[in-house]
Amino acid sequence: MAVYLLRRTAFLVVSLFLAGVVLFLLLRLLPGDPANSLLSVGATPDQIAAARHQIGTDRPLPEQFASWLGQMATLSLGTSFVSTLPVGPEIAARLVVTVPLTLLAFLLAVVIAVPVGFVAAHRAGTWYGSLLSALSQLGVAVPVFWVGMLLITVFSISLGVLPAGGFPTDDWASPGDALTSLALPTVTIALVMSASLIRYVRSAGLDVLGSDYLRTSRALGSSFTMAMWRHGLRNAIVPVVSILGIELATTFLGAVVVESVFALPGLGSMLVKGFAQHDYPVIQGILVVSTFAVLMIGFAADVVQRLIDPRLRRSLARDAG
């Protein structure tokens, strides 16, 4: 297991480096000049040249890249071109919105999807089993921002029971107000994520329900519930864990999109503003943090999967041997 963890850590570092290289190059290919964000309309060529020198975009790309790598090596995300403030603390301040939103939406999606998925598998031949499968297929096709706007129309505009957007200025000093502000965004993400997750849970459930070991356990006198608890659940959860990792990463990225719909002061609004102003350090910082979060989630899901499944542990032992 130690060898596996070292190998995965090395893979994570290399992946993060390659992602950083790609992000750096793609941002430089975007149209527009970051220096224009620092100047008013009608700036002279000399003023534009001075602004470029100030933010360093007049230097050759290899030099800019080396400077950025040096900042990353010291765990610094650089300084915003526009605000001249460190990017790292600003991202940390925005994460107090994005991370709770991601976790709450993910937990709600799991609470919805796991029981519904197993019911859809267990009752696959019934009308309501087919209905659950059809609804999950429909949910996958629905854009998350459309669900958000629909919920705003119903619960904020028509019923007036929940806020349409915004977040308390004192952040989590008033937990009730903060949770109320996150209610609709959480449900928006959870509905879309659970629709996708239901399909995977149903598929894993069908595999277990058709397995020989479950039929043998039932033939030996175990009830369906007991057979599922003793033999089916552990086998069904192994493939679901990897999917949960993917869905958690997707939830994090989806939260960044939904924040714009609900005017939440998270990473989403910061990223949109960064693109509008061509603020390279802000964009790079957010995308690097997001990439790191996605890679860490995948890493954790891999480790949990191997802890649950003894077959994967034995394969690790053979590879190490």
Side-chain angles (χ1 to χ4, degrees):
M1 193 67 178
V3 175
Y4 167 76
L5 291 176
L6 289 174
R7 189 185 305 157
R8 285 290 302 181
T9 302
F11 175 76
L12 188 148
V13 172
V14 172
S15 299
L16 190 61
F17 172 78
L18 293 177
V21 173
V22 172
L23 292 174
F24 180 89
L25 295 176
L26 288 179
L27 282 178
R28 269 63 186 180
L29 294 176
L30 291 177
D33 190 341
N36 292 331
S37 301
L38 308 178
L39 304 169
S40 58
V41 178
T44 64
D46 289 340
Q47 291 174 325
I48 294 175
R52 288 173 180 163
H53 181 73
Q54 176 186 339
I55 61 179
T57 55
D58 61 338
R59 295 180 294 171
L61 279 181
E63 188 177 336
Q64 294 183 46
F65 182 66
S67 175
W68 182 68
L69 278 185
Q71 292 174 347
M72 293 297 294
T74 59
L75 302 181
S76 171
L77 296 177
T79 302
S80 168
F81 288 165
V82 179
S83 67
T84 68
L85 296 174
V87 174
E90 179 67 16
I91 290 178
R94 301 296 187 107
L95 286 175
V96 301
V97 176
T98 302
V99 171
L101 174 60
T102 299
L103 295 178
L104 289 172
F106 176 72
L107 290 175
L108 181 57
V110 171
V111 169
I112 295 172
V114 171
V116 172
F118 274 112
V119 169
H122 185 44
R123 301 299 182 186
T126 64
W127 67 269
Y128 57 89
S130 301
L131 177 62
L132 291 175
S133 298
L135 289 176
S136 68
Q137 295 283 352
L138 177 63
V140 172
V142 175
V144 65
F145 63 87
W146 185 85
V147 176
M149 291 187 290
L150 179 63
L151 292 179
I152 290 174
T153 302
V154 174
F155 292 98
S156 299
I157 299 176
S158 299
L159 300 179
V161 295
L162 289 171
F167 196 75
T169 55
D170 56 358
D171 293 331
W172 289 90
S174 304
D177 294 339
L179 289 173
T180 301
S181 299
L182 294 181
L184 286 183
T186 297
V187 174
T188 298
I189 301 171
L191 288 177
V192 176
M193 290 297 107
S194 62
S196 175
L197 189 55
I198 285 171
R199 299 167 58 205
Y200 294 109
V201 175
R202 180 181 181 274
S203 178
L206 288 174
D207 289 341
V208 169
L209 291 172
S211 62
D212 293 335
Y213 57 80
L214 192 68
R215 285 195 294 266
T216 301
S217 179
R218 292 295 306 278
L220 292 175
S222 297
S223 65
F224 174 79
T225 303
M226 185 60 67
M228 281 295 296
W229 179 256
R230 287 182 175 177
H231 308 288
L233 186 60
R234 188 169 185 176
N235 286 279
I237 203 172
V238 171
V240 172
V241 166
S242 62
I243 298 303
L244 287 176
I246 296 172
E247 290 299 320
L248 179 55
T250 306
T251 304
F252 179 81
L253 299 176
V256 174
V257 175
V258 169
E259 285 171 356
S260 300
V261 177
F262 290 92
L264 294 173
L267 291 183
S269 58
M270 185 178 178
L271 183 62
V272 171
K273 186 177 179 181
F275 271 112
Q277 297 176 334
H278 293 86
D279 199 340
Y280 292 162
V282 168
I283 301 170
Q284 289 170 174
I286 295 174
L287 294 181
V288 166
V289 169
S290 301
T291 303
F292 178 74
V294 170
L295 291 173
M296 284 300 299
I297 291 169
F299 176 77
D302 254 6
V303 172
V304 171
Q305 197 173 24
R306 277 155 178 76
L307 291 175
I308 294 174
D309 193 343
R311 295 169 298 181
L312 294 176
R313 293 201 299 272
R314 285 195 293 269
S315 70
L316 287 177
R318 287 195 301 270
D319 294 342

